[in-house]
Amino acid sequence: MFNVGGGEVIVILLIALIVLGPDKLPGAARQVGKYLNEFRRISSGFQDEIRSAMDVVNQPTTDAPAAADPTPADPTPADPTPADPTPADPTPADPTPADSTPPHVTPTADPPTTPAEPPAEPEPPAVDG
């Protein structure tokens, strides 16, 4: 974690013993241990949150059709009788007129709008005199 060797740890402990003294050193060591434990717990929780978020992002979507589709690609009709070729509803399938805009084309400009009331004329400046 900090890349500290055994000799360096001994030097740090000797400096701590000299600075704090033998009375305060055990309490300081406990306090440092508590802080390190809390730091590790928070760090572990943060890593778990990141991993779970990445797992959610990396999951494949279920929108694509399944590879093993249970329905056959070209089903054969169960009843060999031909279907009635005449439509039951005499209305045309597309009731839109021929000169209308196709549904996939969107207008590029907004239609002009007329204001509800004309704009008020500015008042002339007052002349002192």
Side-chain angles (χ1 to χ4, degrees):
M1 185 166 133
F2 293 109
N3 200 16
V4 179
E8 294 159 340
V9 170
I10 292 174
V11 170
I12 292 172
L13 289 175
L14 285 175
I15 292 174
L17 179 63
I18 292 169
V19 171
L20 296 175
D23 296 335
K24 295 181 183 177
L25 187 61
R30 276 189 222 102
Q31 195 70 22
V32 168
K34 287 179 185 177
Y35 287 136
L36 284 176
N37 189 20
E38 184 71 16
F39 177 76
R40 287 180 184 154
R41 187 181 63 80
I42 291 172
S43 175
S44 176
F46 180 71
Q47 289 175 358
D48 291 343
E49 285 289 323
I50 295 295
R51 284 187 186 117
S52 66
M54 292 301 291
D55 289 344
V56 169
V57 169
N58 291 336
Q59 286 180 349
T61 58
T62 58
D63 294 341
D69 194 9
T71 59
D74 187 20
T76 57
D79 188 18
T81 59
D84 187 13
T86 59
D89 188 13
T91 59
D94 188 15
T96 58
D99 63 335
S100 70
T101 306
H104 65 279
V105 177
T106 57
T108 56
D110 292 335
T113 58
T114 56
E117 59 184 63
E121 293 183 22
E123 294 184 22
V127 179
D128 291 335

mmCIF file of all heavy atoms in Angstrom, residues 47-57:
data_model
loop_
_atom_site.group_PDB
_atom_site.id
_atom_site.type_symbol
_atom_site.label_atom_id
_atom_site.label_comp_id
_atom_site.label_asym_id
_atom_site.label_seq_id
_atom_site.Cartn_x
_atom_site.Cartn_y
_atom_site.Cartn_z
ATOM 1 N N GLN A 47 -15.256 0.463 -3.478
ATOM 2 C CA GLN A 47 -14.908 -0.470 -4.548
ATOM 3 C C GLN A 47 -16.075 -1.392 -4.880
ATOM 4 O O GLN A 47 -16.317 -1.689 -6.058
ATOM 5 C CB GLN A 47 -13.686 -1.291 -4.144
ATOM 6 C CG GLN A 47 -12.408 -0.499 -4.118
ATOM 7 C CD GLN A 47 -11.233 -1.310 -3.594
ATOM 8 O OE1 GLN A 47 -11.389 -2.471 -3.204
ATOM 9 N NE2 GLN A 47 -10.055 -0.696 -3.578
ATOM 10 N N ASP A 48 -16.817 -1.836 -3.877
ATOM 11 C CA ASP A 48 -17.980 -2.692 -4.125
ATOM 12 C C ASP A 48 -19.047 -1.946 -4.928
ATOM 13 O O ASP A 48 -19.671 -2.518 -5.828
ATOM 14 C CB ASP A 48 -18.569 -3.203 -2.810
ATOM 15 C CG ASP A 48 -17.660 -4.201 -2.114
ATOM 16 O OD1 ASP A 48 -16.744 -4.749 -2.773
ATOM 17 O OD2 ASP A 48 -17.867 -4.428 -0.897
ATOM 18 N N GLU A 49 -19.261 -0.673 -4.598
ATOM 19 C CA GLU A 49 -20.245 0.132 -5.336
ATOM 20 C C GLU A 49 -19.834 0.291 -6.794
ATOM 21 O O GLU A 49 -20.662 0.160 -7.701
ATOM 22 C CB GLU A 49 -20.398 1.506 -4.689
ATOM 23 C CG GLU A 49 -21.190 1.508 -3.410
ATOM 24 C CD GLU A 49 -22.649 1.249 -3.647
ATOM 25 O OE1 GLU A 49 -23.199 1.721 -4.661
ATOM 26 O OE2 GLU A 49 -23.246 0.557 -2.815
ATOM 27 N N ILE A 50 -18.561 0.561 -7.025
ATOM 28 C CA ILE A 50 -18.073 0.723 -8.396
ATOM 29 C C ILE A 50 -18.198 -0.588 -9.162
ATOM 30 O O ILE A 50 -18.644 -0.609 -10.316
ATOM 31 C CB ILE A 50 -16.599 1.212 -8.397
ATOM 32 C CG1 ILE A 50 -16.502 2.612 -7.797
ATOM 33 C CG2 ILE A 50 -15.998 1.179 -9.797
ATOM 34 C CD1 ILE A 50 -17.188 3.674 -8.595
ATOM 35 N N ARG A 51 -17.846 -1.692 -8.524
ATOM 36 C CA ARG A 51 -17.955 -2.991 -9.199
ATOM 37 C C ARG A 51 -19.400 -3.327 -9.542
ATOM 38 O O ARG A 51 -19.690 -3.827 -10.624
ATOM 39 C CB ARG A 51 -17.360 -4.089 -8.320
ATOM 40 C CG ARG A 51 -15.857 -4.093 -8.326
ATOM 41 C CD ARG A 51 -15.294 -5.301 -7.579
ATOM 42 N NE ARG A 51 -13.859 -5.188 -7.488
ATOM 43 C CZ ARG A 51 -13.186 -5.072 -6.347
ATOM 44 N NH1 ARG A 51 -13.831 -5.100 -5.200
ATOM 45 N NH2 ARG A 51 -11.879 -4.964 -6.351
ATOM 46 N N SER A 52 -20.328 -3.048 -8.624
ATOM 47 C CA SER A 52 -21.731 -3.358 -8.913
ATOM 48 C C SER A 52 -22.270 -2.458 -10.016
ATOM 49 O O SER A 52 -23.054 -2.903 -10.855
ATOM 50 C CB SER A 52 -22.585 -3.248 -7.651
ATOM 51 O OG SER A 52 -22.637 -1.910 -7.208
ATOM 52 N N ALA A 53 -21.834 -1.207 -10.047
ATOM 53 C CA ALA A 53 -22.271 -0.311 -11.127
ATOM 54 C C ALA A 53 -21.707 -0.771 -12.464
ATOM 55 O O ALA A 53 -22.401 -0.737 -13.485
ATOM 56 C CB ALA A 53 -21.837 1.119 -10.836
ATOM 57 N N MET A 54 -20.474 -1.227 -12.469
ATOM 58 C CA MET A 54 -19.880 -1.720 -13.716
ATOM 59 C C MET A 54 -20.545 -3.019 -14.154
ATOM 60 O O MET A 54 -20.690 -3.258 -15.357
ATOM 61 C CB MET A 54 -18.373 -1.928 -13.537
ATOM 62 C CG MET A 54 -17.606 -0.635 -13.362
ATOM 63 S SD MET A 54 -17.799 0.498 -14.737
ATOM 64 C CE MET A 54 -16.905 -0.374 -15.996
ATOM 65 N N ASP A 55 -20.949 -3.864 -13.216
ATOM 66 C CA ASP A 55 -21.653 -5.098 -13.574
ATOM 67 C C ASP A 55 -22.988 -4.793 -14.233
ATOM 68 O O ASP A 55 -23.380 -5.451 -15.190
ATOM 69 C CB ASP A 55 -21.861 -5.985 -12.346
ATOM 70 C CG ASP A 55 -20.573 -6.614 -11.849
ATOM 71 O OD1 ASP A 55 -19.583 -6.624 -12.611
ATOM 72 O OD2 ASP A 55 -20.555 -7.080 -10.689
ATOM 73 N N VAL A 56 -23.686 -3.771 -13.732
ATOM 74 C CA VAL A 56 -24.967 -3.390 -14.321
ATOM 75 C C VAL A 56 -24.752 -2.856 -15.734
ATOM 76 O O VAL A 56 -25.504 -3.167 -16.649
ATOM 77 C CB VAL A 56 -25.678 -2.338 -13.431
ATOM 78 C CG1 VAL A 56 -26.864 -1.730 -14.146
ATOM 79 C CG2 VAL A 56 -26.116 -2.972 -12.129
ATOM 80 N N VAL A 57 -23.705 -2.063 -15.928
ATOM 81 C CA VAL A 57 -23.425 -1.493 -17.241
ATOM 82 C C VAL A 57 -23.004 -2.578 -18.215
ATOM 83 O O VAL A 57 -23.387 -2.553 -19.387
ATOM 84 C CB VAL A 57 -22.330 -0.403 -17.130
ATOM 85 C CG1 VAL A 57 -21.831 0.025 -18.492
ATOM 86 C CG2 VAL A 57 -22.855 0.787 -16.360
#
